[in-house]
Amino acid sequence: MNQEQMKQTAAEKAVEHIQNNTIIGLGTGSTIQYALEKISERIQKENLSIQGIPTSNTTKKTAQHLNIPLTTLEEHPTIDLTIDGADEVDSNLNLIKGAGGALTREKIIAYHSKTLIIIVDDSKVVKSLGMNNPIPVEILQFSYTATQHCLEELGCTTTLRTIVNEPYITDNGNYIIDCEFPRIPEPEALEMQINMIPGVVENGLFINMADMVIIGGKQGIHTLEKAIVQ
Ligand code: 5RP
C-alpha cells in the first residue's frame, strides 16, 4: 500500500463507525477527503441519514459538493462522532493538529463530540510529540509580534505562517505562528501555558481528546484506543 491507500483504508474504516440519524463532525485535510467520499457513498447506497458539521470552509465546500447534509454547532451543540486527521499521534493518543490551519474549529468540534476518531497513515505516529512538526498556534492579528515574543519565551523558535509571501489567514481571520520546540516533555502543561498568553486563540496540541486512532500501514489497519480508567 502506498501512503494514499493507507489514508484511504483508515478513513473508510472510520466511516464504518457512523450510525444512522447522528450528527457527525467533519475534520479537515487530505485524509478526511477519503472519509467524505465514503460518507457520501453510504448516504446514497444505504440511505444513511446524518448531518455533518464541517471544521473548515474547505471541508464545507467539499461536503456540499458531495451532497452531505450539513448543520451547525448552534443547531446541534452535541456531536455524536467526529472523524478528523492529525499531523502527529503519540502512544497516549495525544495529537498535534493544524498543519491545514483549521485547528481552532477542529478543537471546538472535538471538544463537543461524544467520540473523536483520528485517521492517519503510519508516518504520523511518533515517539513524542513535536518530533516532526511545530505546534501551530492561532493568534489575533492585533498584537501579533508581542504574542510571538511571549510564545518564544516558552522555549520555542517561531515562524509566522505565510502563503505566497503574505501571512496565512485562517477561516476565523487570524494568523498562525508555528512553534518549534526542541522537546515537549509535558504536552498537557504546554497546551495550557500557550493558551494563557493573551492574543492566543487556540493551539494545535490535542491532549486527552481522541478516543480512537485508526492507523493505515503497509500491512493494513492498526487501531489505538483510549484506556478506560475505572
Ligand atoms: C488541519 C489538520 C489536519 O487534520 C492535519 O493537518 C492532517 O492533514 P492530512 O490528512 O492532510 O495529513 O489538523 O488543520
Side-chain angles (χ1 to χ4, degrees):
M1 269 204 264
N2 63 33
Q3 193 182 24
E4 290 306 310
Q5 289 166 327
M6 292 181 210
K7 290 181 188 181
Q8 183 171 4
T9 313
E12 293 186 350
K13 187 73 194 168
V15 172
E16 287 177 15
H17 289 264
I18 297 180
Q19 294 182 355
N20 211 13
N21 299 316
T22 52
I23 304 299
I24 304 297
L26 306 171
T28 295
S30 58
T31 316
I32 285 304
Q33 179 69 32
Y34 293 113
L36 296 174
E37 285 164 14
K38 195 65 188 175
I39 293 170
S40 173
E41 189 186 304
R42 282 195 63 192
I43 289 171
Q44 280 173 30
K45 284 192 182 162
E46 300 170 33
N47 222 5
L48 180 74
S49 172
I50 61 127
Q51 286 177 283
I53 303 184
T55 52
S56 63
N57 293 340
T58 306
T59 294
K60 183 178 180 182
K61 273 192 209 130
T62 309
Q64 284 169 334
H65 177 72
L66 291 167
N67 295 317
I68 299 173
L70 295 180
T71 184
T72 62
L73 201 55
E74 295 306 312
E75 284 172 358
H76 292 97
T78 303
I79 299 166
D80 294 295
L81 166 66
T82 288
I83 302 175
D84 203 347
D87 305 306
E88 288 188 10
V89 177
D90 74 9
S91 56
N92 296 318
L93 284 74
N94 291 329
L95 320 168
I96 290 181
K97 288 182 49 52
L103 61 136
T104 299
R105 295 190 189 187
E106 289 173 334
K107 200 182 271 192
I108 293 169
I109 296 294
Y111 186 85
H112 293 286
S113 299
K114 290 182 197 163
T115 304
L116 174 63
I117 298 183
I118 295 297
I119 50 177
V120 291
D121 66 80
D122 62 6
S123 69
K124 306 289 185 65
V125 179
V126 294
K127 281 215 176 79
S128 66
L129 293 179
M131 281 179 71
N132 303 328
N133 287 272
I135 300 172
V137 181
E138 180 162 349
I139 64 162
L140 296 183
Q141 292 190 35
F142 175 81
S143 76
Y144 87 86
T145 308
T147 308
Q148 188 166 6
H149 287 150
C150 291
L151 287 165
E152 284 167 358
E153 281 170 10
L154 296 177
C156 60
T157 50
T158 61
T159 313
L160 176 68
R161 195 179 292 187
T162 56
I163 183 160
V164 211
N165 295 324
E166 294 292 330
Y168 173 89
I169 308 286
T170 68
D171 287 349
N172 311 309
N174 299 315
Y175 287 170
I176 287 184
I177 305 279
D178 286 305
C179 298
E180 200 170 323
F181 285 84
R183 41 193 281 282
I184 305 175
E186 292 177 25
E188 193 168 354
L190 184 60
E191 182 188 20
M192 285 191 272
Q193 275 178 306
I194 294 173
N195 281 3
M196 288 294 289
I197 299 170
V200 168
V201 177
E202 194 46 84
N203 73 78
L205 283 167
F206 284 52
I207 309 302
N208 294 325
M209 295 193 97
D211 297 287
M212 181 187 286
V213 178
I214 301 178
I215 304 160
K218 282 203 177 68
Q219 315 302 330
I221 281 170
H222 172 58
T223 301
L224 301 178
E225 283 188 61
K226 196 176 193 168
I228 296 164
V229 181
Q230 301 274 349

